[in-house]
Amino acid sequence: MNEDTLPPLREVIARHGLGAKKALGQNFLFDLNLTRRIARAAGPLEGITVIEVGPGPGGLTRALLMEGATHVIAIERDDRALAALAEISAAYPGRLTVIPGDALETDYAKLAAGRPTRIVANLPYNIATPLLVGWLGGDHWPPFYESLTLMFQKEVAERIVAKPGGKDFGRLSVLCQYRASTKKLFDVNRSAFTPPPKVTSSIVQLVPRPKPEPECRLGVLERVTAAAFGQRRKMLRASLKSLLPEPEALLNELAINPELRAEQLPVEAFARLAQRIGG
């Protein structure tokens, strides 16, 4: 592995006047041991292109390069961070590409260009869920990436990995687990960040399922979960009436108890419902 010869991150931030901006959902990680642990969690990175969103001053960027990523593509909206990222690029010639721009408007498959790619990021909190839904959405599956190793607020992470039967299980759980295997790797204490966020964070890994079963259209699955969880205190025979005039007949046909509530239904059952409704 490479040893980093760049100055400490605190020094870089002070020199470039890079105070974290709340409007951009920024919280910086200074601890290189922690950022390297996150990079290692993404698996061996030799031969891999890593896409990173919101690198800021580059703490995780440096860790990814130190841990052997062949190429890191970093998307950064904050122009103030570009000079600091340019210094990292100079220290790792040909291995870091910085793209100034909005992560929500980026064509990620085009960036990957068919190369083995993983997405690893300490996501800005204010766009974390829309980004994840975008990476899991779309009609082309399996996707362009091998895995997603991402940091979220702990409460979002718990929803991503939640199993049926608990209060955390919801629409995001179904979407994530239908298309990927999900695992929470470890928590990150708020004191690890500057400035410290109000909540604990967690690292989650999602690995795409080659062929989600049973096969259904994602748009229909989203409509089914929206109806079911939109009135989660009601039984399915009532909550699904916004989608079907007589849901009880279909539920019985699929051997799904109409008296269950949405949070009690396994992901596979939601997919079977979507399959039948959407063809």
Side-chain angles (χ1 to χ4, degrees):
M1 299 302 154
N2 302 289
E3 282 311 315
D4 192 284
T5 56
L6 289 159
L9 212 58
R10 287 181 191 278
E11 191 182 305
V12 172
I13 284 169
R15 184 156 40 87
H16 292 285
L18 277 172
K21 275 190 175 177
K22 191 173 181 181
L24 295 177
Q26 291 175 329
N27 299 90
F28 298 148
L29 285 172
F30 286 158
D31 184 346
L32 200 52
N33 290 324
L34 177 57
T35 53
R36 289 186 80 163
R37 186 183 178 197
I38 296 168
R40 285 194 296 273
L45 297 177
E46 291 80 4
I48 300 294
T49 293
V50 175
I51 297 177
E52 183 190 5
V53 172
L60 180 57
T61 316
R62 285 161 66 163
L64 291 165
L65 292 162
M66 290 168 75
E67 293 298 328
T70 298
H71 189 201
V72 175
I73 301 172
I75 299 147
E76 180 53 67
R77 186 179 165 189
D78 187 355
D79 290 345
R80 301 175 308 147
L82 299 181
L85 294 168
E87 291 173 10
I88 302 172
S89 187
Y92 293 91
R95 292 178 58 200
L96 173 62
T97 301
V98 179
I99 298 177
D102 186 339
L104 290 170
E105 304 294 329
T106 299
D107 184 340
Y108 292 93
K110 190 175 178 182
L111 290 183
R115 296 168 295 199
T117 299
R118 296 175 195 162
I119 300 178
V120 186
N122 166 19
L123 293 174
Y125 284 157
N126 54 356
I127 59 169
T129 304
L131 281 172
L132 176 62
V133 170
W135 290 327
L136 290 172
D139 297 326
H140 300 291
W141 203 264
F144 64 90
Y145 54 83
E146 294 179 357
S147 64
L148 305 169
T149 304
L150 307 169
M151 187 184 296
F152 295 93
Q153 293 184 32
K154 186 177 180 178
E155 65 176 57
V156 177
E158 302 285 6
R159 283 162 47 206
I160 290 167
V161 303
K163 296 303 173 201
K167 63 179 175 58
D168 292 325
F169 186 73
R171 294 177 66 185
L172 189 62
S173 320
V174 175
L175 171 64
C176 292
Q177 294 170 38
Y178 175 64
R179 281 210 151 168
S181 61
T182 65
K183 183 165 60 170
K184 194 177 98 165
L185 302 183
F186 54 89
D187 291 335
V188 180
N189 195 286
R190 49 191 295 276
S191 62
F193 297 88
T194 299
K198 291 186 173 70
V199 294
T200 301
S201 300
S202 302
I203 303 293
V204 175
Q205 190 161 72
L206 299 96
V207 178
R209 300 185 188 282
K211 190 180 178 190
E213 297 282 359
E215 211 167 329
C216 69
R217 299 207 327 258
L218 204 65
V220 181
L221 181 64
E222 287 176 337
R223 279 171 38 221
V224 171
T225 55
F229 287 102
Q231 302 182 74
R232 62 186 298 152
R233 294 174 74 100
K234 291 188 176 181
M235 296 177 186
L236 289 168
R237 67 184 181 200
S239 63
L240 292 178
K241 277 189 175 172
S242 61
L243 202 62
L244 298 164
E246 295 293 334
E248 195 158 354
L250 178 59
L251 290 164
N252 285 326
E253 188 185 321
L254 294 174
I256 297 170
N257 183 348
E259 295 186 357
L260 290 178
R261 290 175 174 81
E263 67 200 41
Q264 298 171 291
L265 204 61
V267 173
E268 170 269 338
F270 278 108
R272 282 193 291 125
L273 268 169
Q275 186 184 56
R276 278 299 309 277
I277 291 168

Coordinates of all heavy atoms in Angstrom, one line a residue, residues 135-212:
W135 N -29.0 5.2 -7.7 CA -28.1 4.1 -8.1 C -28.8 2.7 -8.1 O -28.4 1.8 -8.8 CB -26.9 4.0 -7.1 CG -26.0 5.2 -7.2 CD1 -25.7 5.8 -8.4 CD2 -25.3 5.9 -6.2 NE1 -24.8 6.8 -8.2 CE2 -24.5 6.9 -6.8 CE3 -25.2 5.7 -4.8 CZ2 -23.7 7.8 -6.1 CZ3 -24.4 6.6 -4.1 CH2 -23.6 7.6 -4.7
L136 N -29.9 2.6 -7.3 CA -30.6 1.3 -7.2 C -31.8 1.3 -8.3 O -32.3 0.2 -8.5 CB -31.2 1.1 -5.8 CG -30.2 0.8 -4.7 CD1 -30.9 0.8 -3.4 CD2 -29.5 -0.6 -5.0
G137 N -32.1 2.4 -8.8 CA -33.2 2.5 -9.8 C -32.8 2.2 -11.2 O -31.7 1.6 -11.4
G138 N -33.6 2.6 -12.1 CA -33.3 2.4 -13.5 C -33.6 1.0 -14.0 O -33.8 0.0 -13.2
D139 N -33.8 0.9 -15.3 CA -34.2 -0.4 -15.9 C -33.1 -1.3 -16.2 O -33.3 -2.5 -16.5 CB -35.0 -0.1 -17.2 CG -36.3 0.7 -16.9 OD1 -36.9 0.5 -15.9 OD2 -36.7 1.6 -17.8
H140 N -31.9 -0.8 -16.3 CA -30.7 -1.7 -16.7 C -30.2 -2.3 -15.4 O -29.7 -1.6 -14.5 CB -29.7 -0.8 -17.4 CG -30.2 -0.2 -18.7 ND1 -30.5 -1.0 -19.8 CD2 -30.4 1.1 -19.0 CE1 -30.9 -0.2 -20.8 NE2 -30.9 1.1 -20.3
W141 N -30.2 -3.6 -15.4 CA -29.8 -4.4 -14.2 C -29.2 -5.7 -14.6 O -29.7 -6.3 -15.5 CB -30.9 -4.6 -13.2 CG -30.4 -4.8 -11.8 CD1 -30.2 -6.0 -11.2 CD2 -30.1 -3.8 -10.9 NE1 -29.8 -5.8 -9.9 CE2 -29.6 -4.5 -9.7 CE3 -30.0 -2.4 -10.9 CZ2 -29.2 -3.8 -8.6 CZ3 -29.6 -1.7 -9.8 CH2 -29.2 -2.4 -8.7
P142 N -28.1 -6.1 -14.1 CA -27.3 -5.5 -13.0 C -26.7 -4.2 -13.4 O -26.5 -3.9 -14.6 CB -26.2 -6.6 -12.7 CG -26.1 -7.4 -13.9 CD -27.5 -7.4 -14.5
P143 N -26.3 -3.3 -12.4 CA -25.8 -2.0 -12.8 C -24.4 -2.0 -13.1 O -23.7 -3.0 -13.2 CB -26.1 -1.3 -11.4 CG -25.9 -2.3 -10.4 CD -26.4 -3.6 -11.0
F144 N -23.8 -0.8 -13.3 CA -22.4 -0.6 -13.7 C -21.4 -0.8 -12.6 O -20.2 -1.0 -12.9 CB -22.2 0.8 -14.3 CG -22.4 1.9 -13.3 CD1 -21.4 2.3 -12.5 CD2 -23.7 2.4 -13.1 CE1 -21.5 3.3 -11.6 CE2 -23.9 3.4 -12.1 CZ -22.8 3.8 -11.4
Y145 N -21.9 -0.9 -11.4 CA -20.9 -1.0 -10.2 C -21.0 -2.3 -9.6 O -22.0 -3.0 -9.6 CB -21.2 0.1 -9.2 CG -22.7 0.1 -8.7 CD1 -23.1 -0.8 -7.7 CD2 -23.6 0.9 -9.3 CE1 -24.4 -0.8 -7.3 CE2 -25.0 0.9 -8.9 CZ -25.3 0.1 -7.9 OH -26.7 0.0 -7.4
E146 N -19.9 -2.7 -8.9 CA -19.8 -4.0 -8.2 C -20.4 -3.9 -6.8 O -20.9 -4.9 -6.3 CB -18.3 -4.4 -8.1 CG -17.7 -4.8 -9.4 CD -16.2 -5.1 -9.3 OE1 -15.7 -5.1 -8.1 OE2 -15.6 -5.5 -10.3
S147 N -20.2 -2.7 -6.2 CA -20.7 -2.5 -4.8 C -20.8 -1.1 -4.5 O -20.2 -0.2 -5.1 CB -19.8 -3.2 -3.8 OG -18.6 -2.7 -3.8
L148 N -21.6 -0.8 -3.5 CA -21.7 0.6 -2.9 C -21.3 0.5 -1.4 O -21.9 -0.3 -0.7 CB -23.2 1.1 -2.9 CG -23.9 1.1 -4.3 CD1 -25.4 1.3 -4.1 CD2 -23.3 2.1 -5.2
T149 N -20.3 1.2 -1.0 CA -19.9 1.3 0.4 C -20.0 2.7 0.8 O -19.3 3.6 0.4 CB -18.4 0.8 0.5 OG1 -18.3 -0.5 0.0 CG2 -18.0 0.8 2.0
L150 N -21.1 3.0 1.6 CA -21.5 4.4 1.8 C -21.8 4.7 3.3 O -22.2 3.8 4.0 CB -22.9 4.6 1.0 CG -22.9 4.2 -0.5 CD1 -24.3 4.2 -1.0 CD2 -22.0 5.2 -1.3
M151 N -21.6 6.0 3.6 CA -21.9 6.4 4.9 C -23.2 7.2 4.9 O -23.4 8.1 4.1 CB -20.8 7.3 5.5 CG -21.0 7.7 6.9 SD -19.8 8.9 7.6 CE -18.3 7.9 7.5
F152 N -24.0 6.8 5.9 CA -25.3 7.5 6.1 C -25.5 7.9 7.5 O -24.8 7.4 8.4 CB -26.5 6.5 5.7 CG -26.6 6.1 4.3 CD1 -25.9 5.0 3.9 CD2 -27.3 6.9 3.4 CE1 -26.0 4.5 2.6 CE2 -27.3 6.5 2.1 CZ -26.7 5.3 1.6
Q153 N -26.5 8.7 7.8 CA -26.9 8.9 9.2 C -27.4 7.5 9.7 O -28.0 6.7 8.9 CB -28.1 9.8 9.3 CG -27.7 11.3 9.0 CD -28.9 12.2 9.2 OE1 -29.7 12.0 10.1 NE2 -28.9 13.3 8.4
K154 N -27.1 7.2 10.9 CA -27.4 5.8 11.4 C -28.9 5.4 11.2 O -29.2 4.3 10.9 CB -27.0 5.7 12.9 CG -27.2 4.3 13.5 CD -26.7 4.2 14.9 CE -26.9 2.8 15.4 NZ -26.4 2.7 16.8
E155 N -29.8 6.4 11.4 CA -31.2 6.0 11.3 C -31.5 5.6 9.8 O -32.4 4.7 9.6 CB -32.1 7.2 11.7 CG -32.0 8.4 10.9 CD -33.0 9.5 11.4 OE1 -32.9 9.9 12.5 OE2 -33.8 9.9 10.5
V156 N -30.9 6.2 8.8 CA -31.1 5.8 7.4 C -30.5 4.4 7.2 O -31.1 3.6 6.5 CB -30.5 6.9 6.5 CG1 -30.7 6.4 5.0 CG2 -31.2 8.2 6.7
A157 N -29.3 4.2 7.7 CA -28.6 2.9 7.6 C -29.5 1.8 8.2 O -29.6 0.7 7.6 CB -27.3 3.0 8.3
E158 N -30.1 2.1 9.3 CA -31.0 1.1 10.0 C -32.2 0.7 9.1 O -32.6 -0.4 9.0 CB -31.5 1.5 11.3 CG -30.4 1.9 12.3 CD -29.7 0.7 12.9 OE1 -30.0 -0.5 12.5 OE2 -28.9 0.8 13.8
R159 N -32.7 1.7 8.4 CA -33.8 1.5 7.4 C -33.4 0.7 6.2 O -34.1 -0.2 5.7 CB -34.4 2.8 7.0 CG -35.3 3.5 8.1 CD -35.5 4.9 7.8 NE -35.9 5.2 6.4 CZ -35.7 6.4 5.8 NH1 -35.1 7.4 6.5 NH2 -36.1 6.6 4.6
I160 N -32.2 0.9 5.7 CA -31.7 0.2 4.6 C -31.6 -1.3 4.9 O -31.9 -2.2 4.0 CB -30.3 0.7 4.1 CG1 -30.5 2.1 3.5 CG2 -29.6 -0.2 3.1 CD1 -29.2 2.9 3.4
V161 N -31.1 -1.7 6.1 CA -30.8 -3.1 6.4 C -32.0 -3.7 7.2 O -31.9 -4.9 7.5 CB -29.5 -3.2 7.1 CG1 -28.4 -2.7 6.3 CG2 -29.5 -2.6 8.5
A162 N -33.0 -3.0 7.6 CA -34.1 -3.5 8.5 C -34.8 -4.7 7.9 O -35.0 -4.8 6.7 CB -35.1 -2.4 8.7
K163 N -35.1 -5.6 8.8 CA -35.9 -6.8 8.4 C -37.3 -6.6 8.7 O -37.7 -5.8 9.5 CB -35.3 -8.0 9.2 CG -33.9 -8.4 8.8 CD -33.7 -8.6 7.3 CE -32.2 -8.8 7.0 NZ -32.0 -8.6 5.5
P164 N -38.2 -7.3 8.0 CA -39.7 -7.2 8.3 C -40.0 -7.4 9.7 O -39.4 -8.2 10.4 CB -40.3 -8.3 7.4 CG -39.3 -8.5 6.3 CD -38.0 -8.3 6.9
G165 N -41.0 -6.7 10.2 CA -41.5 -6.8 11.6 C -41.1 -5.7 12.5 O -41.7 -5.6 13.6
G166 N -40.1 -4.9 12.1 CA -39.7 -3.8 12.9 C -40.1 -2.4 12.4 O -40.5 -2.3 11.3
K167 N -40.0 -1.4 13.3 CA -40.5 -0.1 12.9 C -39.6 0.5 11.8 O -40.0 1.5 11.1 CB -40.5 0.8 14.1 CG -39.2 1.1 14.8 CD -39.3 2.0 16.0 CE -38.0 2.1 16.7 NZ -36.9 2.6 15.9
D168 N -38.3 0.1 11.7 CA -37.4 0.6 10.7 C -37.7 0.1 9.3 O -37.2 0.7 8.3 CB -35.9 0.4 11.1 CG -35.5 1.1 12.3 OD1 -36.0 2.3 12.5 OD2 -34.7 0.6 13.1
F169 N -38.4 -1.0 9.2 CA -38.7 -1.6 7.9 C -39.7 -0.8 7.1 O -40.8 -0.5 7.6 CB -39.2 -3.0 8.1 CG -39.3 -3.8 6.8 CD1 -38.2 -4.3 6.1 CD2 -40.6 -4.1 6.2 CE1 -38.3 -5.0 4.9 CE2 -40.7 -4.8 5.1 CZ -39.6 -5.2 4.4
G170 N -39.3 -0.3 5.9 CA -40.2 0.5 5.1 C -39.8 0.5 3.6 O -39.2 -0.4 3.1
R171 N -40.3 1.5 2.9 CA -40.1 1.6 1.5 C -38.6 1.5 1.1 O -38.3 0.7 0.1 CB -40.7 2.9 0.9 CG -42.2 3.0 1.0 CD -42.6 4.4 0.6 NE -42.4 4.5 -0.9 CZ -42.7 5.6 -1.6 NH1 -43.1 6.7 -0.9 NH2 -42.5 5.7 -2.9
L172 N -37.7 2.2 1.8 CA -36.3 2.1 1.4 C -35.7 0.7 1.7 O -34.9 0.3 0.9 CB -35.6 3.2 2.3 CG -34.1 3.4 1.9 CD1 -34.0 3.9 0.5 CD2 -33.4 4.4 2.9
S173 N -36.2 0.1 2.7 CA -35.7 -1.3 3.0 C -36.1 -2.2 1.8 O -35.3 -3.0 1.4 CB -36.4 -1.9 4.3 OG -36.5 -0.9 5.3
V174 N -37.3 -2.1 1.3 CA -37.8 -3.0 0.3 C -37.0 -2.7 -1.0 O -36.5 -3.7 -1.7 CB -39.3 -2.8 0.0 CG1 -39.8 -3.7 -1.2 CG2 -40.1 -3.2 1.3
L175 N -36.9 -1.5 -1.4 CA -36.1 -1.1 -2.6 C -34.7 -1.7 -2.6 O -34.2 -2.3 -3.5 CB -36.2 0.4 -2.8 CG -35.3 0.9 -4.0 CD1 -35.7 0.4 -5.3 CD2 -35.2 2.4 -4.0
C176 N -34.0 -1.4 -1.4 CA -32.6 -1.8 -1.3 C -32.5 -3.3 -1.3 O -31.6 -3.8 -2.0 CB -32.0 -1.2 0.0 SG -31.9 0.6 0.0
Q177 N -33.3 -4.0 -0.6 CA -33.1 -5.4 -0.4 C -33.6 -6.2 -1.6 O -33.2 -7.3 -1.8 CB -33.7 -5.9 0.9 CG -33.0 -5.3 2.1 CD -33.8 -5.5 3.4 OE1 -34.4 -6.5 3.6 NE2 -33.7 -4.5 4.3
Y178 N -34.5 -5.6 -2.4 CA -35.0 -6.3 -3.6 C -33.8 -6.3 -4.6 O -33.6 -7.3 -5.3 CB -36.2 -5.6 -4.2 CG -36.6 -6.1 -5.5 CD1 -37.1 -7.4 -5.6 CD2 -36.5 -5.4 -6.7 CE1 -37.5 -8.0 -6.8 CE2 -36.9 -5.9 -7.9 CZ -37.4 -7.2 -8.0 OH -37.7 -7.8 -9.2
R179 N -33.1 -5.2 -4.7 CA -32.1 -5.2 -5.7 C -30.7 -5.5 -5.3 O -29.8 -5.7 -6.1 CB -32.1 -3.8 -6.4 CG -33.3 -3.7 -7.4 CD -33.0 -2.8 -8.6 NE -33.7 -3.2 -9.8 CZ -33.8 -2.5 -10.9 NH1 -33.2 -1.2 -10.9 NH2 -34.4 -2.9 -11.9
A180 N -30.5 -5.5 -3.9 CA -29.1 -5.7 -3.4 C -29.1 -6.5 -2.1 O -30.1 -6.5 -1.4 CB -28.4 -4.4 -3.3
S181 N -28.0 -7.1 -1.8 CA -27.8 -7.6 -0.4 C -27.3 -6.5 0.4 O -26.4 -5.7 -0.1 CB -26.9 -8.9 -0.4 OG -25.6 -8.5 -0.9
T182 N -27.8 -6.3 1.6 CA -27.4 -5.1 2.3 C -26.8 -5.5 3.7 O -27.2 -6.5 4.3 CB -28.6 -4.2 2.6 OG1 -29.5 -5.0 3.5 CG2 -29.3 -3.8 1.4
K183 N -25.8 -4.8 4.1 CA -25.1 -5.1 5.4 C -24.6 -3.8 6.0 O -24.0 -3.0 5.4 CB -23.9 -6.1 5.1 CG -23.2 -6.5 6.3 CD -22.3 -7.7 6.0 CE -21.3 -7.4 5.0 NZ -20.3 -8.5 4.9
K184 N -24.9 -3.7 7.3 CA -24.3 -2.5 8.0 C -22.9 -3.0 8.6 O -22.8 -4.0 9.2 CB -25.2 -2.1 9.2 CG -24.8 -0.7 9.8 CD -25.7 -0.2 10.9 CE -25.1 -0.6 12.2 NZ -25.7 0.1 13.3
L185 N -21.9 -2.2 8.3 CA -20.5 -2.7 8.6 C -20.1 -2.2 10.0 O -19.7 -2.9 10.8 CB -19.5 -2.2 7.5 CG -19.8 -2.7 6.1 CD1 -18.7 -2.3 5.2 CD2 -19.9 -4.2 6.1
F186 N -20.2 -0.9 10.2 CA -19.8 -0.3 11.5 C -20.4 1.1 11.7 O -20.7 1.8 10.7 CB -18.3 -0.4 11.8 CG -17.5 0.3 10.7 CD1 -17.1 1.7 10.8 CD2 -17.0 -0.4 9.6 CE1 -16.4 2.3 9.8 CE2 -16.2 0.1 8.7 CZ -15.9 1.5 8.8
D187 N -20.5 1.5 12.9 CA -20.9 2.9 13.2 C -19.7 3.8 13.3 O -18.5 3.4 13.5 CB -21.6 3.0 14.6 CG -23.0 2.3 14.5 OD1 -23.5 2.2 13.4 OD2 -23.4 1.8 15.6
V188 N -19.9 5.1 13.0 CA -18.9 6.1 13.2 C -19.4 7.2 14.1 O -20.4 7.8 13.9 CB -18.5 6.8 11.8 CG1 -17.5 7.8 11.9 CG2 -18.1 5.7 10.8
N189 N -18.7 7.4 15.2 CA -19.1 8.3 16.3 C -19.1 9.7 15.7 O -18.2 10.1 14.9 CB -18.2 8.2 17.5 CG -18.8 8.9 18.7 OD1 -18.8 10.1 18.8 ND2 -19.3 8.1 19.6
R190 N -20.0 10.5 16.2 CA -20.1 11.9 15.7 C -18.9 12.7 16.0 O -18.5 13.6 15.3 CB -21.4 12.6 16.3 CG -21.5 12.5 17.8 CD -22.9 12.9 18.3 NE -23.1 14.3 18.1 CZ -22.6 15.3 18.9 NH1 -22.0 14.9 20.0 NH2 -22.8 16.5 18.7
S191 N -18.1 12.3 17.0 CA -16.9 13.0 17.4 C -15.8 12.9 16.4 O -14.8 13.6 16.4 CB -16.4 12.6 18.8 OG -16.1 11.2 18.7
A192 N -16.0 11.9 15.4 CA -14.9 11.7 14.4 C -15.0 12.8 13.3 O -14.0 12.9 12.5 CB -15.1 10.3 13.7
F193 N -16.0 13.6 13.3 CA -16.2 14.6 12.3 C -15.9 16.0 12.7 O -16.0 16.3 13.9 CB -17.7 14.6 11.8 CG -18.1 13.3 11.2 CD1 -18.7 12.3 11.9 CD2 -18.1 13.1 9.8 CE1 -19.1 11.1 11.4 CE2 -18.5 11.9 9.2 CZ -19.0 10.9 10.0
T194 N -15.6 16.9 11.8 CA -15.5 18.3 12.0 C -16.4 19.0 11.0 O -16.1 18.8 9.8 CB -14.1 18.8 11.9 OG1 -13.3 18.1 12.9 CG2 -14.0 20.3 12.2
P195 N -17.4 19.7 11.4 CA -18.0 19.8 12.8 C -18.7 18.5 13.1 O -19.2 17.8 12.1 CB -18.9 21.0 12.7 CG -19.4 21.0 11.2 CD -18.2 20.6 10.4
P196 N -18.9 18.1 14.4 CA -19.6 16.9 14.7 C -21.1 17.1 14.3 O -21.7 18.0 14.7 CB -19.5 16.8 16.2 CG -18.4 17.8 16.6 CD -18.4 18.8 15.6
P197 N -21.6 16.1 13.6 CA -23.1 16.1 13.3 C -23.9 15.8 14.5 O -23.3 15.4 15.5 CB -23.3 15.0 12.2 CG -22.1 14.1 12.5 CD -21.0 14.9 13.0
K198 N -25.2 16.0 14.5 CA -26.0 15.8 15.7 C -26.2 14.3 15.9 O -26.7 13.9 17.0 CB -27.3 16.5 15.5 CG -27.2 18.0 15.5 CD -28.6 18.7 15.5 CE -28.6 20.2 15.7 NZ -28.0 20.9 14.6
V199 N -25.9 13.5 14.9 CA -26.2 12.0 15.0 C -25.0 11.2 14.7 O -24.1 11.6 14.1 CB -27.4 11.7 14.0 CG1 -28.7 12.4 14.4 CG2 -27.0 12.1 12.6
T200 N -25.1 9.9 15.1 CA -24.1 8.9 14.8 C -24.3 8.5 13.3 O -25.4 8.6 12.7 CB -24.3 7.6 15.6 OG1 -24.2 8.0 17.0 CG2 -23.3 6.6 15.3
S201 N -23.2 8.2 12.7 CA -23.2 7.7 11.3 C -22.9 6.2 11.2 O -22.4 5.6 12.1 CB -22.2 8.5 10.4 OG -22.5 9.9 10.5
S202 N -23.2 5.6 10.1 CA -23.0 4.2 9.9 C -22.5 3.9 8.4 O -22.9 4.6 7.5 CB -24.2 3.3 10.1 OG -24.7 3.5 11.4
I203 N -21.6 3.0 8.3 CA -21.2 2.5 7.0 C -22.0 1.3 6.6 O -22.1 0.3 7.3 CB -19.7 2.1 7.0 CG1 -18.8 3.3 7.5 CG2 -19.2 1.7 5.6 CD1 -18.7 4.5 6.6
V204 N -22.6 1.4 5.4 CA -23.4 0.3 4.9 C -22.8 -0.1 3.5 O -22.3 0.7 2.7 CB -24.9 0.8 4.6 CG1 -25.7 -0.2 4.0 CG2 -25.5 1.2 6.0
Q205 N -22.9 -1.4 3.3 CA -22.5 -1.9 2.0 C -23.6 -2.6 1.3 O -24.4 -3.4 1.9 CB -21.3 -2.9 2.1 CG -20.7 -3.3 0.8 CD -19.3 -3.9 1.0 OE1 -19.2 -5.0 1.5 NE2 -18.3 -3.2 0.7
L206 N -23.8 -2.3 0.0 CA -24.8 -2.9 -0.8 C -24.2 -3.6 -2.0 O -23.4 -2.9 -2.7 CB -25.9 -1.9 -1.3 CG -26.7 -1.2 -0.2 CD1 -26.0 0.2 0.1 CD2 -28.1 -0.9 -0.6
V207 N -24.5 -4.8 -2.2 CA -23.9 -5.6 -3.4 C -25.1 -6.0 -4.3 O -26.0 -6.7 -3.8 CB -23.1 -6.8 -2.9 CG1 -22.6 -7.6 -4.1 CG2 -22.0 -6.4 -2.0
P208 N -25.1 -5.5 -5.5 CA -26.3 -5.8 -6.4 C -26.5 -7.3 -6.6 O -25.6 -8.1 -6.7 CB -25.9 -5.2 -7.7 CG -24.8 -4.3 -7.4 CD -24.1 -4.8 -6.2
R209 N -27.8 -7.7 -6.5 CA -28.2 -9.0 -6.9 C -28.2 -9.1 -8.4 O -28.8 -8.3 -9.1 CB -29.6 -9.3 -6.4 CG -29.8 -9.2 -4.9 CD -31.2 -9.6 -4.5 NE -31.4 -9.3 -3.0 CZ -30.9 -10.1 -2.0 NH1 -30.2 -11.1 -2.3 NH2 -31.1 -9.7 -0.8
P210 N -27.6 -10.2 -9.0 CA -27.5 -10.2 -10.5 C -28.9 -10.2 -11.1 O -29.1 -9.6 -12.1 CB -26.8 -11.6 -10.7 CG -26.1 -11.9 -9.4 CD -26.8 -11.3 -8.3
K211 N -29.8 -11.0 -10.5 CA -31.2 -11.0 -11.1 C -32.2 -11.1 -9.9 O -32.4 -12.1 -9.4 CB -31.3 -12.2 -12.0 CG -32.6 -12.2 -12.8 CD -32.8 -13.4 -13.7 CE -34.1 -13.4 -14.4 NZ -34.4 -14.6 -15.1
P212 N -32.7 -9.9 -9.5 CA -33.7 -9.9 -8.4 C -34.9 -10.8 -8.7 O -35.4 -10.8 -9.9 CB -34.1 -8.4 -8.3 CG -32.9 -7.7 -8.9 CD -32.4 -8.5 -10.0

